[in-house]
Amino acid sequence: MTLPGFPNAMPLEGFIGGLMIGLAAALLLLGSGRIAGISGIAARALTLNKSSLPLSAAWLFLGGLLIGAFLVNAFVAPIQSNFPPSIALLVLGGVIVGFGTRMGSGCTSGHGVCGMSRLSPRSLTATLTFMVSGMIAVALANAAGWGW
């Protein structure tokens, strides 16, 4: 299935993926009372924060992400990824995103999936900021000839 004007869009797969992300977030909330924010879970796994989430649960959640990606790649469709032409640009982007998620007390998964579903004003603001910043970054990268 394709969408007019978006030849590479995969709406059915996106819908199923969104359902699975929501299910995972709901299961984590029901099972541990924790919001599923990947940056916070990754920070917990690396012992960069002292949240109440057990270390083993953080590693299991991150392992589930990797296993899920492996299963999709093996049984559904190869995962396609495009990286910037420069490793320095990739590292710079990672540092900026990491800094932003710490400043915003969460990333797109925590604010965008869990926070917005709870109608949290902080998450609505954070998600809007992420979206606008991403659009500006893409526009600037394309204007500078760094588009990929």
Side-chain angles (χ1 to χ4, degrees):
M1 174 190 288
T2 60
L3 296 174
F6 297 95
N8 297 323
M10 301 170 63
L12 180 61
E13 290 84 353
F15 177 74
I16 293 169
L19 285 177
M20 294 181 77
I21 290 170
L23 178 63
L27 287 174
L28 186 65
L29 183 61
L30 293 172
S32 70
R34 300 284 311 169
I35 299 294
I38 301 306
S39 62
I41 292 172
R44 176 63 185 133
L46 298 173
T47 63
L48 297 174
N49 70 21
K50 305 277 188 221
S51 79
S52 62
L53 183 67
L55 197 58
S56 60
W59 279 108
L60 284 172
F61 197 91
L62 293 177
L65 289 175
L66 294 175
I67 290 170
F70 172 79
L71 292 175
V72 166
N73 189 61
F75 298 110
V76 178
I79 295 174
Q80 299 176 4
S81 59
N82 296 318
F83 293 103
S86 161
I87 191 72
L89 196 57
L90 183 64
V91 170
L92 177 64
V95 168
I96 291 171
V97 167
F99 187 73
T101 58
R102 297 308 290 178
M103 278 185 62
S105 299
C107 60
T108 51
S109 58
H111 285 297
V113 174
C114 299
M116 287 185 56
S117 65
R118 296 181 303 126
L119 300 177
S120 162
R122 185 177 80 156
S123 292
L124 293 171
T125 303
T127 303
L128 181 63
T129 304
F130 297 153
M131 298 296 289
V132 170
S133 299
M135 288 182 225
I136 291 171
V138 168
L140 289 175
N142 286 335
W146 298 342
W148 55 93

